[in-house]
């Protein structure tokens, strides 16, 4: 129905999440007919981003710098490391303004069926880093050397697991917790439960069970 070039454009747009053939067709025709200037900007931005954006060497978040702005922020508490599944999770936590530590982005979760193991999530490097930090700290303790205790250079002391409460998310959290404990690091899991402003009668059983098991005294 369309010429080969337009057809190829529609087909390419289908790679976007949530975009089927119909939406892709609408987008392609809009760009070609109504907004060729916008299409040009899109091509430019996409090309530059693909060429220049990579992963932060420390936390694996997408950035065009070798080390991202969160990891290079000297005021953040390096003693806390929050493990999340996606960069969008980092944005959500940052927007809440409650967390001042650093992050580690898995860019996925353990899923053996899809061929996603610890290596694909960058976990061997994370555990190696944690082990090295622990060794340096314990050597310094043995030699009774005063190591710098300021926030910016402190080794990770607590790993906060903030993977999603799905089957894979829980399995991923469990795996990381086991490994991190072997490195001698305290591990915690974010609480899942009743949302603020929610009503108990509308909440599913699984969430309620979680809420009860992670209750705390007030
Ligand atoms: Zn980073």
């Amino acid at each position: 129905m369309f010429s080969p070039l337009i057809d190829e454009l529609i087909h390419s747009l289908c790679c976007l999440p949530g975009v089927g053939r119909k939406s892709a067709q609408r987008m392609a025709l809009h760009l070609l007919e109504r907004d060729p200037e916008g299409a040009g900007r899109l091509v430019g931005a996409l090309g530059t981003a693909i060429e220049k954006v990579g992963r932060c060497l420390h936390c694996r978040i997408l950035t065009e710098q070798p080390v991202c702005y969160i990891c290079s922020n000297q005021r953040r508490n390096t003693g806390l490391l929050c493990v999340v599944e996606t960069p969008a999770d980092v944005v959500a936590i940052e927007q809440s303004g409650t967390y001042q530590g650093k992050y580690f982005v898995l860019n996925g979760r353990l899923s053996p069926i899809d061929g996603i193991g610890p290596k694909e999530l960058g976990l061997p490097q994370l555990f190696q880093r944690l082990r090295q930090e622990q060794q340096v700290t314990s050597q310094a303790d043995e030699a009774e050397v005063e190591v710098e205790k300021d926030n910016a250079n402190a080794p990770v002391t607590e790993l906060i697991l903030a993977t999603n409460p799905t089957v894979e998310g829980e399995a991923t959290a469990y795996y990381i917790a086991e490994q991190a404990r072997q490195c001698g690091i305290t591990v915690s899991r974010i609480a899942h439960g009743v949302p603020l402003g929610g009503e108990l009668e509308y909440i599913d059983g699984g969430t309620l069970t979680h809420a009860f098991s992670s209750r705390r005294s007030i």
Side-chain angles (χ1 to χ4, degrees), residues 96-131:
S96 77
T98 49
Y99 179 68
Q100 284 306 311
K102 297 205 172 178
Y103 295 93
F104 185 80
V105 185
L106 299 167
N107 289 306
R109 55 197 137 178
L110 289 179
S111 180
I113 296 172
D114 305 311
I116 301 172
K119 215 174 91 199
E120 282 69 29
L121 304 180
L123 289 173
Q125 293 93 316
L126 172 66
F127 297 133
Q128 195 189 1
R129 188 177 113 202
L130 294 177
R131 263 193 293 272

Side-chain angles (χ1 to χ4, degrees), residues 56 58-61 67-68 71:
C56 167
H58 293 171
C59 72
R60 287 169 42 97
I61 203 171
V67 176
C68 76
C71 289

Side-chain angles (χ1 to χ4, degrees), residues 143-157:
E144 290 181 5
V145 179
E146 195 53 45
V147 274
E148 254 188 287
K149 288 265 162 48
D150 64 306
N151 272 352
N153 294 309
V156 174
T157 50

Side-chain angles (χ1 to χ4, degrees), residues 51-111:
E51 189 192 326
K52 304 232 161 111
V53 171
R55 284 183 186 167
C56 167
L57 290 169
H58 293 171
C59 72
R60 287 169 42 97
I61 203 171
L62 294 172
T63 173
E64 58 266 43
Q65 307 294 338
V67 176
C68 76
Y69 75 98
I70 296 176
C71 289
S72 48
N73 184 346
Q74 295 287 309
R75 278 187 303 220
R76 299 201 69 124
N77 181 356
T78 53
L80 296 175
L81 191 67
C82 179
V83 180
V84 294
E85 288 182 22
T86 68
D89 299 333
V90 173
V91 174
I93 298 172
E94 283 297 291
Q95 278 173 350
S96 77
T98 49
Y99 179 68
Q100 284 306 311
K102 297 205 172 178
Y103 295 93
F104 185 80
V105 185
L106 299 167
N107 289 306
R109 55 197 137 178
L110 289 179
S111 180

